[in-house]
Amino acid sequence: MLKIFQLSAILEGISYLLLFSFSMPLKYWANITEPNVYIGYVHGFLFIAYMILALVFSMERKIAPKKIVMLVLASLLPFGTFYLDEKYLKPLAIS
């Protein structure tokens, strides 16, 4: 479950960055909306998958409510899921 959750965190983070650094500027500065639609759909799917996996992962590992809040907040901040993976998830994989 840890590996799947790590993968979802990384993919969600990448889609979030693509949305804000690539497709949103195209939409608002160049009036090109198509990439925003597709990247938005992918990001939406990955965000929902990340949230579901965060819930399943936290129930499986019996994670404290404060850390569950951290899992949710990581998905809302740019680079948050990368930080979460490096700081909290990779050490779990080693131990």
Side-chain angles (χ1 to χ4, degrees):
M1 184 65 205
L2 177 63
K3 292 289 183 192
I4 294 169
F5 184 58
Q6 281 182 301
L7 179 63
S8 73
I10 296 300
L11 290 176
E12 197 276 335
I14 290 170
S15 71
Y16 190 53
L17 292 177
L18 280 174
L19 190 66
F20 280 107
S21 66
F22 179 70
S23 69
M24 295 292 273
L26 283 177
K27 179 180 178 181
Y28 291 109
W29 294 340
N31 286 332
I32 302 172
T33 60
E34 289 82 20
N36 197 44
V37 171
Y38 299 118
I39 294 173
Y41 284 146
V42 170
H43 173 68
F45 173 78
L46 290 171
F47 178 77
I48 292 168
Y50 173 84
M51 288 298 177
I52 292 169
L53 288 170
L55 178 64
V56 171
F57 178 74
S58 62
M59 288 172 33
E60 180 184 274
R61 296 278 178 135
K62 296 182 173 98
I63 294 177
K66 286 183 182 180
K67 292 211 179 199
I68 295 171
V69 170
M70 183 186 63
L71 293 177
V72 171
L73 288 178
S75 70
L76 300 175
L77 301 171
F79 301 102
T81 56
F82 301 118
Y83 177 78
L84 173 82
D85 181 51
E86 194 65 36
K87 182 84 171 165
Y88 296 102
L89 298 179
K90 280 188 181 175
L92 289 175
I94 293 171
S95 59

